Coordinates of all heavy atoms in Angstrom, one line a residue:
A136 N 11.1 -9.0 14.3 CA 10.5 -8.9 15.6 C 11.5 -8.6 16.7 O 12.6 -9.1 16.6 CB 9.7 -10.1 16.0
Y137 N 11.1 -7.7 17.6 CA 12.0 -7.3 18.8 C 11.1 -7.4 20.0 O 10.0 -6.9 20.1 CB 12.5 -5.9 18.6 CG 13.3 -5.4 19.8 CD1 14.6 -5.9 20.1 CD2 12.7 -4.5 20.7 CE1 15.3 -5.4 21.2 CE2 13.4 -4.1 21.8 CZ 14.6 -4.5 22.1 OH 15.3 -4.1 23.2
D138 N 11.6 -8.1 21.1 CA 10.9 -8.2 22.3 C 11.9 -8.1 23.5 O 12.7 -9.0 23.7 CB 10.1 -9.5 22.4 CG 9.2 -9.6 23.5 OD1 9.3 -8.7 24.5 OD2 8.3 -10.4 23.5
S139 N 11.9 -7.0 24.2 CA 12.8 -6.8 25.3 C 12.2 -7.1 26.6 O 12.8 -6.9 27.7 CB 13.3 -5.3 25.3 OG 12.3 -4.4 25.5
G140 N 10.9 -7.5 26.6 CA 10.2 -7.7 27.9 C 9.1 -6.7 28.0 O 7.9 -7.0 27.6
P141 N 9.4 -5.4 28.4 CA 8.3 -4.4 28.4 C 7.9 -3.9 27.1 O 6.7 -3.6 26.8 CB 8.9 -3.3 29.3 CG 10.4 -3.5 29.2 CD 10.6 -4.9 29.0
L142 N 8.8 -3.9 26.1 CA 8.6 -3.3 24.8 C 8.7 -4.4 23.7 O 9.7 -5.1 23.7 CB 9.6 -2.2 24.5 CG 9.4 -1.5 23.1 CD1 8.1 -0.8 23.0 CD2 10.6 -0.5 22.9
A143 N 7.7 -4.5 22.8 CA 7.8 -5.4 21.7 C 7.4 -4.7 20.4 O 6.5 -3.8 20.5 CB 6.9 -6.6 22.0
A144 N 8.0 -5.1 19.3 CA 7.7 -4.5 18.0 C 7.8 -5.5 16.9 O 8.7 -6.4 17.0 CB 8.6 -3.3 17.8
E145 N 7.0 -5.4 15.9 CA 7.1 -6.2 14.7 C 6.8 -5.3 13.5 O 6.1 -4.4 13.5 CB 6.0 -7.3 14.7 CG 6.3 -8.4 15.8 CD 5.3 -9.6 15.6 OE1 5.1 -10.0 14.4 OE2 4.8 -10.1 16.6
V146 N 7.5 -5.7 12.4 CA 7.3 -5.1 11.1 C 7.3 -6.1 10.0 O 8.1 -7.1 10.1 CB 8.3 -3.9 10.9 CG1 9.7 -4.5 10.8 CG2 8.0 -3.2 9.6
Y147 N 6.5 -6.0 9.0 CA 6.5 -7.0 7.9 C 6.1 -6.3 6.6 O 5.4 -5.3 6.6 CB 5.6 -8.2 8.3 CG 4.1 -7.8 8.2 CD1 3.4 -8.0 7.0 CD2 3.4 -7.2 9.3 CE1 2.0 -7.7 6.9 CE2 2.1 -6.9 9.2 CZ 1.4 -7.1 8.0 OH 0.1 -6.7 7.9
A148 N 6.4 -7.0 5.5 CA 5.9 -6.6 4.2 C 5.8 -7.9 3.4 O 6.6 -8.8 3.5 CB 7.0 -5.7 3.5
A149 N 4.7 -8.0 2.6 CA 4.4 -9.2 1.9 C 3.8 -8.9 0.5 O 3.1 -7.8 0.3 CB 3.3 -10.0 2.7
Y150 N 4.1 -9.8 -0.4 CA 3.5 -9.7 -1.8 C 2.3 -10.7 -1.8 O 2.4 -11.9 -1.4 CB 4.5 -10.1 -2.8 CG 4.0 -10.3 -4.2 CD1 3.6 -9.3 -5.0 CD2 3.9 -11.6 -4.7 CE1 3.0 -9.5 -6.3 CE2 3.3 -11.8 -6.0 CZ 2.9 -10.8 -6.7 OH 2.4 -11.0 -8.0
R151 N 1.2 -10.3 -2.3 CA 0.0 -11.1 -2.4 C -0.2 -11.6 -3.9 O -0.2 -10.9 -4.8 CB -1.3 -10.3 -2.0 CG -2.5 -11.2 -2.0 CD -3.8 -10.4 -1.8 NE -4.1 -9.6 -3.0 CZ -4.0 -8.3 -3.0 NH1 -3.5 -7.6 -2.0 NH2 -4.3 -7.6 -4.1
N152 N -0.3 -13.0 -4.0 CA -0.5 -13.6 -5.3 C -2.0 -14.1 -5.3 O -2.3 -15.0 -4.4 CB 0.5 -14.7 -5.5 CG 0.2 -15.5 -6.8 OD1 0.0 -16.7 -6.8 ND2 0.2 -14.8 -7.9
D153 N -2.8 -13.6 -6.2 CA -4.2 -14.1 -6.3 C -4.1 -15.4 -7.1 O -3.8 -15.4 -8.3 CB -5.0 -13.0 -7.0 CG -6.5 -13.3 -7.0 OD1 -6.8 -14.5 -6.9 OD2 -7.3 -12.4 -7.2
R154 N -4.5 -16.5 -6.5 CA -4.4 -17.8 -7.1 C -5.5 -18.1 -8.1 O -5.4 -19.0 -8.9 CB -4.4 -18.9 -6.1 CG -3.4 -18.7 -4.9 CD -2.0 -18.6 -5.4 NE -1.6 -19.9 -6.0 CZ -0.4 -20.1 -6.6 NH1 0.4 -19.0 -6.8 NH2 0.0 -21.3 -7.1
A155 N -6.6 -17.3 -8.1 CA -7.8 -17.5 -8.9 C -8.0 -16.4 -10.0 O -8.7 -16.7 -11.0 CB -9.0 -17.6 -8.1
A156 N -7.4 -15.3 -9.8 CA -7.6 -14.2 -10.8 C -6.3 -13.4 -10.9 O -5.2 -13.9 -10.7 CB -8.7 -13.3 -10.3
T157 N -6.4 -12.1 -11.1 CA -5.2 -11.3 -11.4 C -5.0 -10.1 -10.4 O -4.4 -9.1 -10.7 CB -5.2 -10.7 -12.8 OG1 -6.4 -9.9 -13.0 CG2 -5.2 -11.8 -13.8
F158 N -5.7 -10.3 -9.2 CA -5.6 -9.2 -8.2 C -4.4 -9.4 -7.3 O -4.6 -9.6 -6.1 CB -6.9 -9.1 -7.4 CG -8.1 -8.7 -8.3 CD1 -9.0 -9.7 -8.7 CD2 -8.3 -7.4 -8.6 CE1 -10.1 -9.3 -9.5 CE2 -9.4 -7.0 -9.4 CZ -10.3 -8.0 -9.8
D159 N -3.2 -9.3 -7.8 CA -2.0 -9.3 -7.0 C -1.8 -8.0 -6.3 O -2.4 -6.9 -6.8 CB -0.8 -9.6 -7.9 CG -0.8 -11.1 -8.4 OD1 -1.7 -11.8 -8.1 OD2 0.2 -11.4 -9.1
G160 N -1.1 -7.9 -5.2 CA -0.9 -6.7 -4.5 C 0.1 -6.8 -3.4 O 0.9 -7.8 -3.4
E161 N 0.0 -5.9 -2.4 CA 1.0 -5.9 -1.3 C 0.2 -5.7 0.0 O -0.8 -5.1 0.1 CB 2.0 -4.7 -1.5 CG 2.7 -4.8 -2.8 CD 3.2 -3.4 -3.2 OE1 3.1 -2.5 -2.4 OE2 3.8 -3.3 -4.3
R162 N 0.8 -6.3 1.1 CA 0.3 -6.1 2.4 C 1.5 -5.7 3.3 O 2.6 -6.4 3.2 CB -0.4 -7.3 2.9 CG -0.8 -7.2 4.4 CD -1.5 -8.4 4.9 NE -2.8 -8.6 4.3 CZ -3.6 -9.7 4.5 NH1 -3.1 -10.7 5.2 NH2 -4.8 -9.8 3.9
Y163 N 1.4 -4.8 4.2 CA 2.5 -4.4 5.1 C 1.9 -3.9 6.4 O 0.7 -3.4 6.4 CB 3.5 -3.5 4.5 CG 2.9 -2.3 3.8 CD1 2.6 -1.1 4.5 CD2 2.6 -2.3 2.4 CE1 2.1 0.0 3.9 CE2 2.1 -1.2 1.8 CZ 1.8 0.0 2.5 OH 1.3 1.1 1.9
G164 N 2.7 -3.9 7.5 CA 2.2 -3.4 8.7 C 3.2 -3.3 9.8 O 4.4 -3.8 9.6
V165 N 2.8 -2.7 10.9 CA 3.7 -2.6 12.1 C 2.9 -2.8 13.3 O 1.7 -2.4 13.4 CB 4.4 -1.2 12.1 CG1 3.4 -0.1 12.2 CG2 5.4 -1.1 13.2
E166 N 3.4 -3.4 14.4 CA 2.7 -3.7 15.6 C 3.7 -3.3 16.8 O 4.8 -3.6 16.7 CB 2.3 -5.1 15.7 CG 1.4 -5.6 14.6 CD 1.0 -7.1 14.7 OE1 1.6 -7.7 15.6 OE2 0.2 -7.5 13.9
L167 N 3.1 -2.7 17.8 CA 3.9 -2.3 19.0 C 3.1 -2.7 20.2 O 1.9 -2.7 20.2 CB 4.1 -0.7 19.0 CG 4.8 -0.1 17.8 CD1 4.7 1.4 17.8 CD2 6.3 -0.6 17.8
A168 N 3.8 -3.0 21.3 CA 3.2 -3.3 22.6 C 4.1 -2.9 23.7 O 5.4 -3.0 23.6 CB 2.9 -4.8 22.7
Y169 N 3.5 -2.5 24.8 CA 4.3 -2.0 25.9 C 3.6 -2.5 27.2 O 2.5 -2.2 27.5 CB 4.3 -0.5 26.0 CG 5.2 0.1 27.1 CD1 6.6 -0.2 27.2 CD2 4.6 0.9 28.1 CE1 7.4 0.3 28.2 CE2 5.4 1.5 29.1 CZ 6.8 1.2 29.1 OH 7.6 1.7 30.1
T170 N 4.4 -3.4 28.0 CA 3.8 -4.0 29.2 C 4.9 -4.0 30.3 O 5.6 -5.0 30.5 CB 3.4 -5.5 28.8 OG1 2.6 -5.5 27.7 CG2 2.6 -6.1 30.0
P171 N 5.1 -2.9 30.9 CA 6.1 -2.8 32.0 C 5.6 -3.6 33.2 O 4.4 -3.8 33.5 CB 6.1 -1.3 32.3 CG 4.8 -0.8 31.9 CD 4.4 -1.6 30.7
E172 N 6.6 -4.1 34.0 CA 6.3 -5.0 35.1 C 5.5 -4.2 36.2 O 4.7 -4.8 36.9 CB 7.6 -5.5 35.7 CG 8.3 -6.5 34.8 CD 9.5 -7.1 35.4 OE1 9.8 -6.8 36.6 OE2 10.2 -7.9 34.8
N173 N 5.7 -2.9 36.3 CA 5.1 -2.2 37.4 C 3.6 -1.7 37.1 O 3.1 -1.0 37.8 CB 5.9 -1.0 37.8 CG 6.1 0.0 36.7 OD1 5.7 -0.2 35.5 ND2 6.8 1.1 37.0
W174 N 3.1 -2.3 36.0 CA 1.7 -2.0 35.6 C 0.7 -3.1 36.1 O -0.4 -3.1 35.7 CB 1.5 -1.8 34.1 CG 2.0 -0.4 33.7 CD1 2.7 0.5 34.4 CD2 1.7 0.2 32.4 NE1 3.0 1.6 33.7 CE2 2.4 1.5 32.4 CE3 1.1 -0.2 31.3 CZ2 2.3 2.4 31.4 CZ3 1.0 0.7 30.2 CH2 1.6 1.9 30.2
S175 N 1.2 -4.0 36.9 CA 0.4 -5.0 37.6 C -0.4 -5.9 36.6 O -1.5 -6.2 36.8 CB -0.6 -4.4 38.5 OG 0.1 -3.6 39.5
G176 N 0.3 -6.2 35.4 CA -0.3 -7.1 34.5 C -1.0 -6.4 33.3 O -1.4 -7.0 32.3
F177 N -1.2 -5.1 33.4 CA -1.8 -4.3 32.3 C -0.8 -3.9 31.2 O 0.4 -3.7 31.5 CB -2.5 -3.1 32.8 CG -3.8 -3.4 33.6 CD1 -3.8 -3.5 35.0 CD2 -5.0 -3.5 32.9 CE1 -5.0 -3.7 35.7 CE2 -6.2 -3.8 33.6 CZ -6.2 -3.9 35.0
G178 N -1.3 -3.8 30.0 CA -0.4 -3.4 28.9 C -1.2 -2.6 27.9 O -2.4 -2.6 27.8
L179 N -0.4 -1.9 27.0 CA -1.0 -1.2 25.9 C -0.4 -1.7 24.6 O 0.8 -2.2 24.5 CB -0.7 0.3 26.0 CG -1.3 1.1 27.2 CD1 -0.7 2.5 27.2 CD2 -2.8 1.1 27.1
F180 N -1.1 -1.6 23.5 CA -0.6 -2.1 22.2 C -1.3 -1.3 21.1 O -2.4 -0.6 21.3 CB -0.8 -3.6 22.0 CG -2.3 -4.0 22.0 CD1 -3.1 -4.0 20.9 CD2 -2.8 -4.5 23.2 CE1 -4.4 -4.4 21.0 CE2 -4.1 -4.9 23.3 CZ -4.9 -4.9 22.2
G181 N -0.7 -1.3 19.9 CA -1.3 -0.6 18.8 C -0.6 -0.9 17.5 O 0.4 -1.7 17.5
G182 N -1.1 -0.4 16.4 CA -0.4 -0.7 15.1 C -1.3 -0.3 14.0 O -2.3 0.4 14.1
G183 N -0.8 -0.7 12.8 CA -1.5 -0.4 11.6 C -1.1 -1.3 10.5 O 0.0 -1.9 10.4
H184 N -2.1 -1.6 9.5 CA -1.9 -2.5 8.4 C -2.5 -1.9 7.2 O -3.5 -1.2 7.3 CB -2.5 -3.9 8.7 CG -2.0 -4.5 10.0 ND1 -0.9 -5.2 10.1 CD2 -2.5 -4.5 11.2 CE1 -0.7 -5.7 11.3 NE2 -1.7 -5.2 12.0
S185 N -2.0 -2.2 6.0 CA -2.5 -1.7 4.8 C -2.3 -2.8 3.7 O -1.3 -3.6 3.7 CB -1.8 -0.4 4.4 OG -2.3 0.1 3.2
E186 N -3.2 -2.8 2.7 CA -3.1 -3.7 1.6 C -3.7 -3.1 0.4 O -4.7 -2.3 0.4 CB -4.0 -5.0 1.9 CG -3.8 -6.1 0.9 CD -4.2 -7.4 1.4 OE1 -4.6 -7.6 2.6 OE2 -4.2 -8.4 0.6
S187 N -3.0 -3.3 -0.8 CA -3.3 -2.7 -2.0 C -3.7 -3.7 -3.1 O -3.4 -4.9 -2.9 CB -2.2 -1.8 -2.5 OG -1.0 -2.7 -2.8
G188 N -4.3 -3.3 -4.2 CA -4.6 -4.1 -5.3 C -5.7 -5.2 -5.1 O -5.8 -6.1 -5.9
L189 N -6.6 -5.0 -4.2 CA -7.7 -5.9 -3.9 C -8.8 -5.6 -4.9 O -8.9 -4.5 -5.5 CB -8.2 -5.8 -2.5 CG -7.3 -6.3 -1.4 CD1 -7.7 -5.7 -0.1 CD2 -7.2 -7.8 -1.4
P190 N -9.7 -6.6 -5.1 CA -10.9 -6.3 -6.1 C -11.7 -5.1 -5.7 O -12.2 -4.4 -6.6 CB -11.7 -7.6 -5.9 CG -10.7 -8.7 -5.5 CD -9.7 -8.0 -4.7
G191 N -11.8 -4.8 -4.4 CA -12.5 -3.6 -4.0 C -11.7 -2.4 -3.8 O -12.1 -1.4 -3.3

Side-chain angles (χ1 to χ4, degrees):
Y137 173 76
D138 189 345
S139 66
L142 178 65
E145 290 189 43
V146 62
Y147 73 92
Y150 170 74
R151 184 187 71 253
N152 177 238
D153 189 337
R154 310 301 293 174
T157 59
F158 293 102
D159 291 0
E161 303 158 6
R162 174 182 291 175
Y163 48 87
V165 60
E166 301 178 356
L167 301 169
Y169 184 61
T170 311
E172 292 184 3
N173 60 357
W174 282 14
S175 302
F177 286 96
L179 297 174
F180 59 88
H184 305 275
S185 183
E186 188 162 354
S187 63
L189 291 163

